[in-house]
């Protein structure tokens, strides 16, 4: 137990170190290169005015002090104000976050609900036409760029068939102060294409993972024994195969959630989905630095937390990676 | 090619191998998969189209004198006033899309290949240094690699481009930055494995210098794996560049890659003018799929653990 706690503490310290390193990199990259005063101030301003603006923004101080002030603000939740809208950058990000999380959650549901059954089927019948077709599809899903698939989805379902709206979020329902699209029919229609687009990579990944796991499990003695006992194939698949391959599937689905949020940048831009990713692209286009920094810090935090939780959960569940090698 | 020489593998199943030089054996192994051969042939045609774009294009798509704004957004198969046929239609500036795709292929393939090769060189050097030096330098390099690889490539590339701004050089820098760590990790892993092999001990016993052992003995044995990784990585680099260009953060308007062509046509997609986006998209699809199929086959043939088609 103490070893487990020590491991968790060590891992937490590492995560905090990563956060510091990343915040310094983000700060150096976005703040120290170029001069925000040039964008903020009237080009005809004289030297005295430029000096005043520089001092007001704290840009005349040494770099380490600027970083320290930025860090102190960030820890207190103050990430600066947007140059464009003069609204706190942290507020802008939080306001857009539910839309992105809803999209990522919907994509996860699609990937799991389709990926596991398709993977089981392909693993059960690897040489059948349907099994091969599923694998070919997953290879395509892996190699095609997300934006390309998004463009094609719009072309087929919005332009040619006219079934689904190409852009926006549709009607939303406010639940506990959070706007959600999936509770209205109109919102669901808006959500369908972006969610499928975002899900495609993880869907392909889950198909491969499930298929490989199924093929491996089917060759094991305990599956043969279960079949020899006279259990139906359906029961063997459900109880003996699926149970055993579920751990890596859950891990990958969890780990990939951060990537989904990052890849939502592309999907949100194509489908004009009003989430954090679209905000990032819009902010990059107008060089709104505080918002870019706020977005990056939020996403770094998400990644660090996901990795931390998965590592600790793994150590708790799997004796092989546990620090002392004994049960906690 | 002789394939009559039968051998028995460790598993006991008979298999055939091609006799001859390693290169011939390798080619024979590769040729056993029809799909891969087709993919390689398609890739060859694409490369030719990219290299000879100025010769085979019906029009120079970036010479304003040759463009006629009256021919703007014509559907595929339309004829220009001068009697030329636009087989794939025209874009909003009256540019022949077929020509634009040939030139776009050039830019996409060029950027992908150059960035991958430079990243390969940097990653190999860093990986070999880490494997050879060990100690704190190895630890430092590998922590940096781990840190970078824990974030999606697209995020790192977006941030870099946000900082650096637009331009062909900037996007090449971004693509190199997101790729080097991957090679560094692969090379370090293989080099550490090779270092423990007997032939390295033998070379040491002969008092060869460090540089000689690293570059003449370890590197050639690490290289085949790397070449395979690089084939697929070029496809990834092309896809990433296309994505960044589509988001408006990649190539400048003066050097339109396939991604930028798709982005330009995307505006007109909803009004039913599908061809401006669709054909550059189809070209991108063919490039990426052909490269992946070729790369997968190369990996299968070169991977000794899967040597079912090929001499062990």
């Amino acid at each position: 137990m103490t070893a487990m706690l020590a491991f968790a503490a060590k891992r937490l310290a590492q995560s905090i170190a990563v956060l510091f390193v990343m915040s310094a990199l983000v700060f150096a990259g976005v703040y120290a290169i170029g001069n925000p005063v040039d964008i903020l101030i009237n080009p005809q301003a004289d030297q005295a005015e430029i000096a005043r603006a520089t001092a007001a923004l704290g840009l005349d101080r040494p770099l380490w002090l600027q970083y320290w002030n930025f860090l102190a603000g960030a820890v207190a939740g103050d990430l600066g104000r947007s140059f464009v809208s003069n609204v706190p950058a942290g507020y802008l990000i939080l306001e857009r976050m539910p839309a992105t999380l809803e999209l990522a959650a919907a994509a996860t549901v699609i990937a799991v609900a389709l990926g596991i059954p398709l993977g089981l089927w392909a693993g059960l019948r690897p040489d059948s036409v349907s099994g091969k077709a599923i694998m070919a599809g997953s290879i395509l899903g892996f190699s095609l760029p997300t934006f390309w698939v998004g463009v094609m989805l719009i072309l087929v379902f919005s332009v040619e068939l006219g079934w689904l709206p190409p852009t926006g979020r549709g009607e939303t329902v406010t639940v506990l102060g959070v706007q959600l699209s999936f509770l209205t029919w109109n919102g669901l229609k808006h959500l369908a294409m972006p969610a499928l687009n975002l899900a495609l990579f993880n869907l392909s990944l889950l198909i491969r993972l499930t298929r490989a796991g199924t093929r491996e499990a089917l060759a094991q003695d305990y599956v043969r024994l279960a079949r020899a006992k006279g259990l139906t194939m359906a029961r063997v698949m459900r109880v003996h195969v699926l149970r055993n391959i579920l751990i890596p599937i859950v891990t990958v689905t969890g780990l990939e959630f951060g990537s989904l949020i990052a890849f939502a940048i592309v999907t949100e831009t194509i489908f004009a989905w009003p989430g954090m990713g679209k905000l990032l692209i819009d902010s990059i286009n107008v060089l709104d630095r505080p918002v870019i920094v706020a977005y990056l810090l939020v996403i770094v935090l998400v990644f660090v937390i996901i990795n931390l939780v998965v590592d600790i959960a793994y150590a708790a569940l799997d004796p092989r990676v546990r620090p002392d090698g004994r049960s906690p | 090619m002789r394939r009559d020489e039968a051998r028995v593998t460790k598993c006991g199943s008979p298999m055939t191998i091609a006799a001859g030089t390693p290169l011939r054996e390798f080619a024979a192994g590769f040729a056993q998969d029809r799909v891969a051969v087709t993919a390689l042939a398609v890739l060859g045609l694409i490369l030719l189209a990219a290299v000879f774009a100025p010769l085979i294009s019906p029009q120079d798509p970036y010479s304003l004198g040759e463009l006629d704004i009256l021919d703007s957004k014509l559907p595929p198969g339309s004829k220009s006033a001068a009697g030329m046929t636009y087989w794939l239609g025209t874009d909003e500036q009256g540019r022949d899309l077929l020509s634009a795709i040939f030139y776009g292929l050039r830019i996409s393939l060029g950027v992908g290949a150059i960035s991958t090769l430079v990243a390969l060189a940097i990653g190999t050097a860093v990986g070999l240094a880490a494997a050879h030096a060990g100690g704190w330098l190895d630890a430092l390099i590998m922590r940096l690699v781990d840190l970078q690889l824990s974030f999606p490539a697209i995020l790192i590339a977006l941030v870099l481009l946000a900082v650096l701004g637009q331009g062909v050089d900037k996007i090449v820098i971004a693509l190199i930055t997101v790729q080097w760590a991957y090679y560094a990790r692969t090379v370090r892993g293989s080099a550490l494995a090779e270092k423990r092999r007997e032939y390295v001990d033998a070379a040491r016993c002969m008092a060869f210098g460090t540089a000689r052992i690293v570059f003449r003995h370890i590197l050639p044995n690490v290289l085949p794996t790397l070449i395979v990784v690089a084939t697929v990585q070029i496809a990834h680099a092309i896809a990433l560049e296309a994505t960044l260009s589509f988001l408006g953060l990649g190539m400048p308007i003066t050097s339109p890659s396939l991604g930028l062509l798709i982005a330009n046509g995307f505006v007109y997609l909803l009004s039913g003018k599908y061809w401006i986006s669709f054909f550059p998209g189809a070209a991108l699809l063919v490039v990426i799929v052909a490269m992946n199929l070729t790369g997968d086959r190369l990996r299968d043939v070169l991977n000794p653990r899967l040597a079912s088609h090929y001499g062990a």
Side-chain angles (χ1 to χ4, degrees):
Chain A
M1 188 64 208
T2 43
M4 191 60 214
L5 272 180
F7 173 75
K10 196 178 145 203
R11 198 55 197 72
L12 186 67
Q14 271 176 11
S15 301
I16 293 171
V18 168
L19 271 180
F20 271 103
V21 171
M22 291 307 288
S23 74
L25 282 177
V26 165
F27 180 82
V30 183
Y31 264 73
I33 294 175
N35 187 358
V37 175
D38 295 343
I39 306 166
L40 289 172
I41 206 167
N42 179 356
Q44 268 107 49
D46 57 14
Q47 279 302 320
E49 209 171 318
I50 291 174
R52 222 175 8 253
T54 308
L57 286 167
L59 296 172
D60 53 342
R61 288 172 221 162
L63 194 62
W64 65 268
L65 191 62
Q66 285 187 46
Y67 173 62
W68 178 253
N69 290 339
F70 160 78
L71 211 57
V75 169
D78 175 16
L79 296 167
R81 278 170 179 272
S82 160
F83 290 164
V84 177
S85 58
N86 203 27
V87 173
Y91 174 78
L92 276 179
I93 298 287
L94 287 180
E95 189 188 43
R96 299 286 200 105
M97 199 185 251
T100 299
L101 289 180
E102 183 180 22
L103 186 61
T108 304
V109 169
I110 293 176
V112 171
L114 289 179
I116 294 178
L118 287 175
L120 285 173
W121 182 266
L124 204 54
R125 295 191 166 77
D127 295 319
S128 70
V129 175
S130 53
K132 282 185 177 163
I134 291 171
M135 274 316 280
S138 94
I139 291 171
L140 277 183
F142 257 131
S143 46
L144 292 179
T146 309
F147 85 92
W148 189 91
V149 178
V151 170
M152 291 303 133
L153 283 175
I154 290 183
L155 183 61
V156 173
F157 291 105
S158 301
V159 180
E160 295 297 323
L161 298 172
W163 290 352
L164 295 168
T167 55
R169 219 185 152 184
E171 280 172 43
T172 55
V173 177
T174 308
V175 179
L176 302 171
V178 176
Q179 292 193 325
L180 294 171
S181 285
F182 77 99
L183 293 170
T184 66
W185 178 237
N186 179 279
L188 206 57
K189 275 166 81 175
H190 280 86
L191 181 62
M193 267 200 299
L196 181 64
N197 185 211
L198 189 56
L200 204 65
F201 186 84
N202 279 7
L203 176 59
S204 309
L205 192 65
L206 282 184
I207 288 176
R208 281 198 175 190
L209 208 61
T210 313
R211 177 180 178 270
T214 307
R215 293 192 67 180
E216 208 171 296
L218 284 177
Q220 301 284 323
D221 286 340
Y222 65 82
V223 170
R224 283 197 215 149
L225 176 70
R227 284 293 283 156
K229 277 198 312 192
L231 298 181
T232 62
M233 203 59 205
R235 188 175 162 80
V236 172
M237 288 299 277
R238 203 173 58 243
V239 177
H240 296 90
V241 174
L242 194 56
R243 279 262 178 103
N244 277 290
I245 60 176
L246 222 46
I247 295 172
I249 290 174
V250 170
T251 316
V252 167
T253 311
L255 274 177
E256 285 294 312
F257 197 75
S259 303
L260 274 183
I261 293 177
F263 273 99
I265 296 169
V266 180
T267 301
E268 286 174 7
T269 308
I270 297 171
F271 294 95
W273 186 264
M276 302 191 290
K278 184 150 189 340
L279 179 68
L280 176 71
I281 295 294
D282 294 345
S283 303
I284 288 176
N285 283 328
V286 294
L287 284 175
D288 196 349
R289 289 183 189 169
V291 182
I292 302 173
V293 171
Y295 175 88
L296 291 176
L297 287 187
V298 166
I299 204 148
V300 166
L301 191 65
V302 168
F303 267 90
V304 167
I305 290 174
I306 289 175
N307 281 321
L308 178 69
V309 169
V310 167
D311 273 9
I312 292 178
Y314 237 70
L317 292 174
D318 191 336
R320 280 168 302 183
V321 289
R322 204 174 294 145
D324 58 353
R326 283 175 280 121
S327 58
Chain B
M1 249 175 294
R2 270 170 47 217
R3 241 181 278 152
D4 48 1
E5 198 179 326
R7 249 200 219 169
V8 177
T9 62
K10 277 179 196 157
C11 314
S13 63
M15 54 177 267
T16 55
I17 59 155
T21 63
L23 191 65
R24 272 198 170 175
E25 287 183 29
F26 168 73
F30 187 90
Q32 280 178 8
D33 185 352
R34 289 236 179 91
V35 179
V37 173
T38 316
L40 189 65
V42 170
L43 208 54
L45 285 177
I46 290 170
L47 274 178
L48 286 178
V51 171
F52 296 108
L55 297 177
I56 55 171
S57 296
Q59 157 191 96
D60 178 356
Y62 302 103
S63 142
L64 291 175
E66 288 188 43
L67 302 184
D68 188 347
I69 198 75
L70 290 176
D71 288 347
S72 157
K73 291 176 269 178
L74 290 177
S78 309
K79 288 221 183 285
S80 74
M84 188 184 110
T85 310
Y86 296 122
W87 293 109
L88 301 181
T90 61
D91 70 2
E92 76 275 19
Q93 288 174 305
R95 180 174 293 141
D96 175 42
L97 266 176
L98 184 64
S99 312
I101 289 173
F102 285 151
Y103 278 78
L105 274 175
R106 248 183 153 183
I107 295 164
S108 289
L109 288 172
V111 166
I114 290 171
S115 61
T116 304
L117 288 178
V118 176
L120 181 67
I122 295 175
T124 307
V126 173
L128 283 176
H132 184 74
W136 66 269
L137 184 67
D138 183 31
L140 180 73
I141 291 173
M142 290 329 284
R143 285 297 81 71
L144 190 64
V145 167
D146 285 345
L147 184 65
Q148 189 185 326
L149 289 180
S150 64
F151 294 95
I154 184 149
L155 197 64
I156 294 170
L158 269 177
V159 174
L160 275 173
L161 288 173
V163 172
L164 297 173
Q166 267 194 346
V168 183
D169 50 339
K170 314 276 174 29
I171 195 151
V172 170
I173 292 172
L175 290 176
I176 292 169
T177 313
V178 299
Q179 290 188 83
W180 76 272
Y182 189 61
Y183 296 115
R185 181 185 269 182
T186 314
V187 171
R188 175 183 172 271
S190 323
L192 281 180
E194 294 297 327
K195 234 173 120 177
R196 285 192 283 271
R197 296 280 188 84
E198 280 160 3
Y199 70 83
V200 176
D201 287 340
R204 279 225 183 81
C205 293
M206 293 175 79
F208 286 159
T210 308
R212 182 168 173 155
I213 293 176
V214 170
F215 290 107
R216 299 282 297 276
H217 296 267
I218 295 181
L219 184 61
N221 281 294
V222 172
L223 222 48
T225 334
L226 275 181
I227 292 169
V228 176
V229 171
T231 331
V232 180
Q233 277 295 314
I234 294 180
H236 286 178
I238 290 174
L240 186 56
E241 177 272 315
T243 304
L244 295 166
S245 296
F246 182 82
L247 293 173
L249 297 167
M251 301 304 273
I253 199 84
T254 46
S255 20
S257 64
L258 293 175
L260 199 59
L261 290 176
I262 300 171
N264 287 342
F266 186 57
V267 190
Y268 305 101
L269 192 67
L270 292 178
S271 53
K273 298 186 172 58
Y274 69 92
W275 58 90
I276 312 177
S277 249
F278 180 79
F279 290 121
L284 183 66
L285 170 77
V286 172
V287 170
I288 290 174
V289 170
M291 276 189 180
N292 273 300
L293 288 174
T294 310
D296 281 356
R297 185 64 195 158
L298 281 179
R299 189 194 55 208
D300 289 352
V301 176
L302 285 174
N303 187 345
R305 276 179 301 173
L306 292 173
S308 54
H309 302 281
Y310 177 63

